[in-house]
Amino acid sequence: MTEWEEESLEGRYYDWPLFKRILAYLRPYGKLVAVSLVLLLVVSVLNLAGPYLTKVAIDDFIRLGQYEGLDRIALIYLAVLAGAFVCQFLQYTLMQYIGQKVMFDMRTQVFAHLHKMSFRFFDRNPIGKMMTRTVNDVEVLNEMLTSGLILVFSDLFTLVGIFLMLAWLDWRLMLVVCIVFPFLYLATYAYRTRARDALRKNRAHVTTLNSTLEENLSGMTTVQLFNQENAQYQKFAGINRDKLKEDLRSLHYNSIYLPSIDVFSAIGIGLVIWYGGGRFVQDEVQLGVLVAFFQYLQKFFEPIRDMAEKFNIIQTAMASSERIFELLDTPEDQPNPERPHSVSQIAGNIDFENVWFAYNKDNHVLKDVSFSLKEGESLAIVGATGSGKSTIINTLLRFYDIQKGRILVDGVPLKEMNKQDLRRQMALVQQDVFLFSRNIMDNIRLGNTSLGLEEVESVAQSVNSHHFINNLPFKYEQELIERGSSLSMGQRQLISFARALAFDPRILILDEATSSVDTETERQIQDAIHELMKGRTSIIIAHRLSTLKTVDKVLVLKHGEVEEFGTRRDLLQKKGTYYNLLKLQSDFSKGTV
Amino acid sequence: MKRIKAFIPYLQTYRREITIGIIALLVTDFISLVIPWLLKSFIDLLPQKPSGSELAWYAGMLFLAAVGQAVSRFGWRKYLFGPSRKIEVDILNKLFQHLQTLDKTFFQNHKVGDLMSRATNDLRAVKEFLGLGLLVALDAVVVIIAAIALMIYLNPQLTLYALLPLPLVSILFFGFIKTIGVRHTAIQEHLAKITSMVQENLAGIRVLHAFAQEENEKKRFDALNREHIARNMHLAKLFGMFTPSLVLTIGIASLIAFWVGSKAVIAGDMSLGAFVAFNGYLMMLAWPMMAIGFVINLTQKGLAAMGRILELLNSRSFLVVSPATIPANSLRGEIEFRELTFRYPGEDNPVLHSLNFRIEPESTVAVIGMIGSGKSSMAQLIPRVYDAPESSLLIDGHPIQEIPLDRLRRHIAYVDQDPFLFSTSIRTNISVGREDATDAEIDDMVRCVHLTPDLARWPQGLNTVVGERGVSLSGGQKQRIALARALIRKPEILILDDAFSSLDIETEATILSNIQRLDQAITTILITHRLSVARQADQILVMEQGRIVECGDHESLMKNEGLYQRMYTNQALAQEMEILLQ
């Protein structure tokens, strides 16, 4: 996995289309970017003014023994410093602002895109991966935009500026100094190829090291119970050794390359002394020019040193951006219809007509399922584990699209409706309740902030949740932690009922919880379910036999097929599975089994 | 100071390299001070019309100095940074080894994320402090003293003026770094909020989409991210001031040197070469001045990180270390609980209340009860995941603490509901149980735990890699692999803690009877929710709120008409229901 990623990273390095796509995110801020670049240019120029002013001072004043005008130069110098200070500050702040905006755009885009994805996508992609895309990868990209890319520009400006300055001061001397550059280039190239290799291997080792460490920390008890301490330690130390080897190798290259730049710098200065000194003796060049050359050459090698490091940032950012774009390019596989059927208020008639569905090709979970429910009717679905009960719910909510047949709500096929509008008419109560780490009130009303405390309270009251919520230290303001782990199973159930009721759905979908709770809570839950079902079309996945006696219709599922469907009376007369289920219960309560 | 002391031994391992590094650093500093001096002599020589060979001599000297500098720079990079990286590895290895000695209590009090962060981020801070920090500190001191001494030698008065603004650099740097740190933490905390919102959104995607909350969540996320911008800009403004103000301060110093110095040159108090050299030295001071702030920052971070790492290294296991005298080459498998009351370390309320019972060697005991009734707590005491109070738990008649821990664990296999698999192949995972297991033995075990049908579906069979923590496997597959791993050790005591929860009842029954048929005398403790399985056991313990409320075989418990009878009837009903629906 890491091998492969690193592999692809190599190719991305020169990927111009990818780069253009990243830059496209800067387009909305084009003017600001332009201002920032101009400021950058100004800063670079101002930074180069110092040595030139020194030259002027030496040649025009000091060597001539002239006092007048020196103060003026000092003042100009001061102005240059102040100007550089202001421009640098503005430039940096501006660029950060742009970077933050771009990051904001990109992150909200990724987030919005994730919400467009279907459940097939979520089944395939682990949460951790998508989190990395939305958070870390975007962050890396920002770093590249704000520091990497900009600094490359500033370094380029500085380099070009120095070149021009040197040429203007004395082009012959500049050409002589230029002899150094081919060698500098060769050295940099040689360094980069080697260092990149070492760095890449090192990164791969660090990844393995961290995952081994994490694995051992999470599974420490297992390691200890199986007396694996030494074996694991040997493995870990081995990876650590490999990592160190690459670490030291890249250090070695660094240790050679960085000092070597100083040698090149010294050769440059040596050339100035030797060639420039000779020309000075022949009065062809002024002393100030030589001094300026010394100072410029020193400045020249700084950006070169930096740039080698910038490439690393850019490289990782390219890899990150590629992963982000890959996510953004994942098409929405269940888009809303272009001209959706309006579903502002539905009655709640549901029809399944010969529905076929498979999560994986041909492995059908629902086979030719048909049933219909009139407005306000309630249905219990029973079936063994894996018979397709939850799949019926999943397809009705359009979490998944069916392959054959039709599902109709009020006579309109699901595919012709806007998914969100459809779901607004339904409420889902899951078996294992998902609570958010927000307060109770927000967990009940979710984003529906039009509901105030009073409404939420009255909703909670009708499903028996008010009492225990009111006993919490902060009542409805109580913040929940880690998916509501501080609440009991029963309490979480009751909150999820309140949530469903708060949305006042036309269709209620309820997956009965199997976990056992104490009798009092059980009574409250049953009570609340009745309240919820009142006046709504309801579909309940039944795990309790008692539920089967309270609904209008029953659907018995077997291996994805409808075995029995009808009103309770019909099914009792049929003396099939439903009949046997009820019989079973009465036998048990009589104690005959 | 105490903290640093704990880390000195790591440095000492590499004292030769470090000595070479320090010498190289001093040489580097010396040469970098020589170079401006050479330039000075050159410039002062120029008006006297030097000959070509004289110029070549200067150029050559300069080149030599540069080469010398490059070599010595290579030396300190390699011999100062090198050891710091090696020390990082040493500390990490040591930490790893130490963590292996800690018990479950420790790992429950420390999240994996926190431990990881100490082992990576904190360790990096220590490495930077020990490598970069000490190096920069030494470098700064040497350069500052030498450069200032030379500047004073060149022109004492000018030195005084030029140096005036420089202390400001350190103060600025330090002040900024501190505030930057605070604001940076604020950003990191906020980023954590963003992360957890994304995480929660993905985990709760069913609820959000079922209630059509996409737009609301986007709004929330927008707001959260706007706040993120605000916090980042708060830092950016400060940071934007940071570098420019350092540049400005140093610029002012050089302006003073330039202004006052140039007049001194005209007045003849100073040669032009000295003026240029003076500027050179002044520029050399810029970095060490910043470095002082930098070092202080590195030191603070490094010390805090050292503290956090030391906290780990000083943690001790809660397991009692007593003179383990019993050789225990094999166990008979007799287990006795004697008035055992157990509370988790650091907790006030006991989770187990005066348990009294004896498990005969080679018998099977089923333990049943609701979630949280103390079944697992009890089971975990036997392989000493937690420690029972002394003399309350006896194995083969010996207090458990008297049996050497590794021996004890060699004879006990504990399989839980959510087993931890290593991200290697299935074969390697099984042979974790016993490294010298032959392929034939592994195959036998695979058959015993009924894994053969599953293996047939994987092209690579036993060599299939299970992915991180076995993500690519189903719960039932993981449980069976874990069971094979446990059985291959040929344990005398086997604890199955709801170990078949993801398997259907028939498979569970098959496996259990396979285990019975193994050529091995095993005492089995079977914790289960399935009473149809439990009823087969020689003895059934019913637990409720940390107490054993009923005890006996199936027949006697059914006559009792207590909790067991109720649970059994309910389950039988549910089971009948399921059978009917199949």
Side-chain angles (χ1 to χ4, degrees):
Chain A
M1 178 77 176
T2 43
E3 282 292 312
W4 181 83
E5 275 179 9
E6 296 292 340
E7 206 75 42
S8 75
L9 206 134
E10 190 73 1
R12 292 293 143 230
Y13 197 58
Y14 307 101
D15 193 335
W16 179 236
L18 184 69
F19 200 62
K20 252 168 56 186
R21 193 165 169 190
I22 300 173
L23 289 185
Y25 279 87
L26 286 174
R27 201 168 295 144
Y29 313 102
K31 278 187 196 143
L32 292 180
V33 174
V35 172
S36 175
L37 286 180
V38 169
L39 284 171
L40 202 57
L41 191 63
V42 173
V43 171
S44 305
V45 169
L46 290 179
N47 278 342
L48 293 181
Y52 180 70
L53 287 174
T54 314
K55 174 216 165 279
V56 173
I58 290 176
D59 288 342
D60 298 353
F61 300 95
I62 298 177
R63 298 242 312 147
L64 304 178
Q66 228 179 323
Y67 281 104
E68 304 90 68
L70 262 183
D71 293 349
R72 197 163 50 97
I73 291 200
L75 267 179
I76 295 175
Y77 199 168
L78 188 64
V80 164
L81 285 174
F85 174 76
V86 172
C87 291
Q88 222 174 337
F89 171 72
L90 288 178
Q91 190 277 328
Y92 181 85
T93 320
L94 189 59
M95 201 55 227
Q96 285 296 318
Y97 179 72
I98 297 169
Q100 289 299 322
K101 282 294 211 183
V102 168
M103 189 159 78
F104 175 85
D105 294 345
M106 202 174 243
R107 191 172 276 153
T108 46
Q109 191 192 1
V110 171
F111 187 79
H113 192 77
L114 280 176
H115 270 295
K116 272 195 227 159
M117 293 292 99
S118 70
F119 281 80
R120 282 185 195 278
F121 175 86
F122 294 119
D123 293 341
R124 269 198 320 269
N125 293 285
I127 290 180
K129 188 174 141 188
M130 292 182 280
M131 275 168 59
T132 315
R133 296 296 161 277
T134 339
V135 182
N136 308 35
D137 282 337
V138 175
E139 208 77 18
V140 170
L141 205 60
N142 173 49
E143 198 191 331
M144 168 181 118
L145 283 177
T146 51
S147 62
L149 210 54
I150 282 303
L151 284 179
V152 168
F153 269 112
S154 113
D155 288 348
L156 270 179
F157 285 156
T158 310
L159 285 182
V160 172
I162 290 176
F163 251 115
L164 292 177
M165 207 64 192
L166 291 183
W168 185 62
L169 282 173
D170 190 309
W171 64 270
R172 280 196 208 93
L173 193 49
M174 185 211 71
L175 283 181
V176 170
V177 173
C178 274
I179 297 172
V180 184
F181 297 137
F183 297 103
L184 183 63
Y185 174 78
L186 283 179
T188 308
Y189 182 78
Y191 162 74
R192 264 214 349 245
T193 28
R194 284 178 180 77
R196 208 194 298 163
D197 177 66
L199 269 179
R200 202 175 63 213
K201 285 186 182 149
N202 185 27
R203 262 205 304 261
H205 287 312
V206 169
T207 312
T208 325
L209 190 72
N210 284 344
S211 58
T212 311
L213 178 61
E214 188 166 3
E215 182 171 84
N216 268 277
L217 292 176
S218 336
M220 190 58 87
T221 307
T222 307
V223 170
Q224 290 171 341
L225 288 183
F226 283 94
N227 305 94
Q228 289 295 302
E229 290 96 332
N230 195 37
Q232 288 296 324
Y233 174 71
Q234 292 308 335
K235 188 179 156 203
F236 184 77
I239 303 167
N240 225 342
R241 216 166 19 244
D242 292 343
K243 185 209 110 183
L244 181 64
K245 201 182 123 212
E246 294 305 324
D247 213 6
L248 290 179
R249 194 158 76 94
S250 80
L251 174 67
H252 182 75
Y253 297 139
N254 255 320
S255 309
I256 293 179
Y257 173 69
L258 291 176
S260 81
I261 291 185
D262 294 318
V263 177
F264 289 114
S265 154
I267 294 176
I269 292 175
L271 286 171
V272 173
I273 290 181
W274 174 70
Y275 180 72
R279 291 189 6 106
F280 173 82
V281 174
Q282 286 151 25
D283 273 336
E284 284 173 16
V285 68
Q286 285 183 302
L287 184 58
V289 172
L290 293 188
V291 174
F293 255 79
F294 292 146
Q295 298 192 347
Y296 281 129
L297 278 178
Q298 259 158 15
K299 280 187 193 278
F300 187 86
F301 290 93
E302 276 167 32
I304 290 187
R305 216 172 303 174
D306 282 2
M307 266 159 95
E309 303 195 355
K310 300 294 149 44
F311 279 114
N312 279 331
I313 301 182
I314 294 182
Q315 212 181 4
T316 21
M318 294 287 256
S320 285
S321 64
E322 200 202 8
R323 292 195 292 259
I324 295 173
F325 291 142
E326 192 192 309
L327 175 63
L328 287 177
D329 290 341
T330 314
E332 193 182 352
D333 62 358
Q334 283 179 206
N336 280 319
E338 274 180 32
R339 247 179 262 121
H341 215 279
S342 154
V343 262
S344 53
Q345 186 61 45
I346 61 163
N349 299 302
I350 297 171
D351 292 277
F352 271 60
E353 290 179 358
N354 311 97
V355 171
W356 288 76
F357 175 78
Y359 290 102
N360 300 311
K361 259 191 183 169
D362 297 334
N363 191 2
H364 283 101
V365 183
L366 295 183
K367 297 168 194 157
D368 203 30
V369 170
S370 299
F371 68 87
S372 68
L373 277 184
K374 292 265 162 324
E375 169 182 0
E377 280 182 334
S378 56
L379 170 78
I381 305 179
V382 277
T385 325
S387 59
K389 291 172 298 193
S390 343
T391 310
I392 290 191
I393 291 183
N394 284 340
T395 54
L396 178 59
L397 279 158
R398 238 194 124 192
F399 285 162
Y400 297 88
D401 271 348
I402 53 172
Q403 276 94 13
K404 259 194 284 181
R406 292 203 302 173
I407 302 176
L408 310 166
V409 169
D410 283 3
V412 183
L414 289 191
K415 281 186 189 171
E416 289 174 21
M417 301 182 199
N418 179 303
K419 269 183 296 187
Q420 283 75 32
D421 288 346
L422 167 75
R423 290 173 189 161
R424 262 186 268 274
Q425 302 292 330
M426 308 182 177
L428 169 71
V429 178
Q430 286 178 282
Q431 201 174 27
D432 43 353
V433 179
F434 190 92
L435 295 178
F436 296 89
S437 46
R438 302 171 187 171
N439 64 29
I440 300 242
M441 174 127 128
D442 281 337
N443 263 295
I444 292 177
R445 66 177 181 184
L446 294 175
N448 188 3
T449 40
S450 61
L451 293 182
L453 180 60
E454 266 178 50
E455 283 103 332
V456 171
E457 264 188 31
S458 86
V459 160
Q461 227 138 21
S462 8
V463 290
N464 300 331
S465 338
H466 178 73
H467 182 68
F468 88 83
I469 296 174
N470 215 30
N471 280 337
L472 295 170
F474 296 95
K475 302 187 166 45
Y476 284 82
E477 310 267 292
Q478 178 81 39
E479 293 286 333
L480 296 182
I481 42 148
E482 285 176 59
R483 305 199 185 167
S485 56
S486 53
L487 301 177
S488 76
M489 286 290 228
Q491 290 171 332
R492 294 162 59 173
Q493 286 276 321
L494 291 176
I495 289 186
S496 80
F497 292 158
R499 180 190 284 166
L501 192 63
F503 281 78
D504 189 19
R506 289 306 307 143
I507 300 172
L508 172 77
I509 301 165
L510 192 147
D511 194 350
E512 227 174 27
T514 43
S515 57
S516 43
V517 288
D518 60 82
T519 17
E520 171 56 17
T521 318
E522 179 64 34
R523 197 193 52 73
Q524 287 182 349
I525 288 176
Q526 291 306 327
D527 210 41
I529 291 179
H530 278 290
E531 181 62 31
L532 269 174
M533 285 165 60
K534 225 182 262 172
R536 301 188 166 87
T537 312
S538 320
I539 296 182
I540 299 171
I541 295 183
H543 295 290
R544 292 187 176 80
L545 289 175
S546 56
T547 314
L548 296 181
K549 288 194 272 187
T550 58
V551 290
D552 302 319
K553 288 179 175 173
V554 174
L555 176 73
V556 181
L557 265 185
K558 202 173 224 177
H559 305 302
E561 287 174 272
V562 178
E563 197 190 42
E564 283 174 27
F565 169 69
T567 59
R568 280 190 291 157
R569 187 179 306 162
D570 293 344
L571 294 186
L572 273 179
Q573 279 166 0
K574 200 180 162 196
K575 300 216 169 176
T577 311
Y578 177 72
Y579 172 83
N580 289 329
L581 282 171
L582 291 191
K583 187 164 166 288
L584 187 70
Q585 202 200 11
S586 67
D587 288 352
F588 256 83
S589 47
K590 276 184 241 144
T592 45
V593 175
Chain B
M1 228 37 231
K2 227 185 195 167
R3 291 177 187 170
I4 299 179
K5 221 170 157 186
F7 287 88
I8 285 178
Y10 294 101
L11 284 168
Q12 273 171 345
T13 320
Y14 303 104
R15 56 176 174 272
R16 267 190 50 190
E17 286 178 54
I18 294 172
T19 315
I20 297 175
I22 290 175
I23 293 171
L25 180 67
L26 293 177
V27 172
T28 313
D29 287 343
F30 174 73
I31 298 178
S32 58
L33 292 165
V34 166
I35 290 176
W37 202 263
L38 275 173
L39 288 180
K40 168 194 174 286
S41 318
F42 164 69
I43 292 169
D44 286 342
L45 183 75
L46 272 181
Q48 295 150 33
K49 308 276 171 198
S51 64
S53 63
E54 268 179 299
L55 290 177
W57 187 83
Y58 270 106
M61 279 307 287
L62 203 89
F63 178 71
L64 272 183
V67 171
Q69 199 181 23
V71 171
S72 58
R73 262 196 191 150
F74 170 79
W76 68 250
R77 279 189 168 268
K78 194 154 170 122
Y79 291 110
L80 286 180
F81 285 151
S84 81
R85 295 184 187 194
K86 289 178 190 163
I87 287 171
E88 184 189 19
V89 168
D90 292 346
I91 297 177
L92 188 56
N93 280 342
K94 167 90 187 176
L95 188 61
F96 188 87
Q97 258 180 327
H98 183 74
L99 288 170
Q100 287 187 327
T101 65
L102 298 176
D103 66 335
K104 187 145 183 189
T105 314
F106 173 86
F107 288 98
Q108 273 182 337
N109 293 334
H110 294 82
K111 286 187 190 158
V112 173
D114 173 43
L115 294 178
M116 285 297 292
S117 144
R118 294 192 201 202
T120 53
N121 303 339
D122 283 341
L123 190 56
R124 191 178 321 122
V126 171
K127 174 187 89 172
E128 278 174 1
F129 169 64
L130 291 181
L132 204 56
L134 295 183
L135 161 78
V136 170
L138 179 66
D139 184 45
V141 170
V142 173
V143 171
I144 289 175
I145 293 175
I148 291 180
L150 286 168
M151 282 161 75
I152 292 174
Y153 175 77
L154 286 172
N155 191 327
Q157 209 187 356
L158 191 56
T159 311
L160 182 68
Y161 290 134
L163 286 188
L164 274 180
L166 280 189
L168 200 59
V169 175
S170 280
I171 295 167
L172 271 176
F173 194 100
F174 185 59
F176 269 123
I177 282 280
K178 238 182 145 172
T179 327
I180 284 172
V182 173
R183 295 191 184 177
H184 189 76
T185 317
I187 290 176
Q188 288 306 315
E189 281 167 4
H190 196 76
L191 194 64
K193 273 193 201 162
I194 293 181
T195 311
S196 58
M197 167 148 189
V198 174
Q199 199 263 343
E200 206 175 53
N201 253 261
L202 293 168
I205 196 92
R206 276 178 77 86
V207 176
L208 294 175
H209 280 199
F211 287 94
Q213 291 297 307
E214 291 93 329
E215 291 310 316
N216 292 326
E217 288 303 303
K218 277 184 218 164
K219 268 185 226 143
R220 269 185 104 99
F221 194 66
D222 255 38
L224 207 57
N225 275 289
R226 271 181 216 288
E227 168 73 22
H228 192 54
I229 295 186
R231 289 189 185 211
N232 267 298
M233 288 315 293
H234 194 51
L235 174 67
K237 277 180 205 144
L238 192 69
F239 218 87
M241 294 288 284
F242 178 54
T243 326
S245 57
L246 288 179
V247 173
L248 182 68
T249 321
I250 293 163
I252 287 174
S254 68
L255 175 67
I256 294 173
F258 168 80
W259 190 52
V260 180
S262 57
K263 290 192 174 171
V265 174
I266 295 174
D269 294 340
M270 197 181 182
S271 73
L272 187 57
F275 172 68
V276 174
F278 188 90
N279 270 310
Y281 289 131
L282 190 60
M283 285 299 116
M284 279 178 66
L285 281 182
W287 161 241
M289 283 295 166
M290 287 192 228
I292 292 175
F294 182 60
V295 168
I296 292 175
N297 183 247
L298 276 185
T299 310
Q300 280 183 336
K301 279 196 198 158
L303 286 180
M306 279 175 167
R308 282 190 291 267
I309 292 178
L310 276 181
E311 192 201 319
L312 298 189
L313 287 174
N314 291 335
S315 300
R316 291 288 172 265
S317 167
F318 272 92
L319 300 186
V320 179
V321 191
S322 59
T325 44
I326 316 295
N329 286 323
S330 70
L331 297 179
R332 280 187 297 124
E334 183 198 274
I335 305 165
E336 188 181 349
F337 285 71
R338 241 186 231 171
E339 266 312 302
L340 182 143
T341 297
F342 172 70
R343 37 177 77 77
Y344 284 106
E347 299 284 325
D348 291 333
N349 299 323
V351 286
L352 298 173
H353 300 271
S354 36
L355 302 186
N356 270 310
F357 64 90
R358 221 167 78 94
I359 298 173
E360 296 298 330
E362 294 175 49
S363 70
T364 299
V365 172
V367 185
I368 64 158
M370 298 271 207
I371 296 169
S373 57
K375 303 183 300 275
S376 295
S377 303
M378 182 199 84
Q380 290 186 338
L381 296 179
I382 300 168
R384 288 185 74 192
V385 175
Y386 295 100
D387 233 354
E390 267 173 273
S391 314
S392 61
L393 177 55
L394 293 86
I395 306 284
D396 289 0
H398 307 294
I400 194 164
Q401 283 88 354
E402 287 179 19
I403 304 170
L405 190 59
D406 58 330
R407 291 283 170 85
L408 177 80
R409 287 177 172 169
R410 195 152 292 154
H411 299 296
I412 297 177
Y414 174 78
V415 189
D416 65 2
Q417 184 186 359
D418 183 21
F420 184 91
L421 297 185
F422 295 92
S423 52
T424 55
S425 68
I426 296 177
R427 185 191 300 279
T428 320
N429 263 298
I430 294 178
S431 62
V432 158
R434 192 157 50 87
E435 263 123 64
D436 58 1
T438 62
D439 284 358
E441 282 175 308
I442 291 180
D443 289 340
D444 280 347
M445 276 312 140
V446 166
R447 265 193 297 280
C448 174
V449 302
H450 205 66
L451 198 64
T452 328
D454 299 78
L455 280 184
R457 262 182 278 142
W458 292 313
Q460 285 168 313
L462 272 175
N463 295 324
T464 307
V465 174
V466 303
E468 201 179 315
R469 287 212 203 179
V471 278
S472 55
L473 304 176
S474 74
Q477 286 163 343
K478 277 197 271 186
Q479 290 184 337
R480 277 172 289 162
I481 294 172
L483 183 63
R485 170 174 78 182
L487 288 174
I488 208 155
R489 320 195 83 188
K490 298 188 194 291
E492 277 93 13
I493 297 175
L494 175 66
I495 305 168
L496 301 172
D497 187 352
D498 213 1
F500 300 108
S501 61
S502 302
L503 298 173
D504 56 66
I505 291 195
E506 287 103 84
T507 318
E508 174 169 4
T510 320
I511 296 174
L512 277 176
S513 71
N514 285 349
I515 295 177
Q516 305 270 290
R517 256 180 275 133
L518 284 178
D519 185 24
Q520 170 83 9
I522 307 182
T523 309
T524 311
I525 298 180
L526 180 67
I527 298 176
T528 182
H529 287 285
R530 289 174 180 160
L531 302 191
S532 58
V533 176
R535 68 179 286 184
Q536 320 278 344
D538 303 318
Q539 200 183 182
I540 301 167
L541 302 177
V542 184
M543 293 190 71
E544 194 173 28
Q545 294 180 349
R547 293 188 169 81
I548 295 173
V549 288
E550 286 170 50
C551 173
D553 61 3
H554 175 73
E555 268 71 42
S556 66
L557 287 178
M558 282 307 275
K559 276 183 212 128
N560 229 350
E561 302 210 343
L563 185 59
Y564 180 82
Q565 192 260 350
R566 263 206 316 283
M567 284 169 74
Y568 189 85
T569 320
N570 275 339
Q571 273 199 15
L573 173 62
Q575 206 182 331
E576 289 295 326
M577 182 173 160
E578 186 80 13
I579 290 169
L580 204 98
L581 289 166
Q582 275 297 333

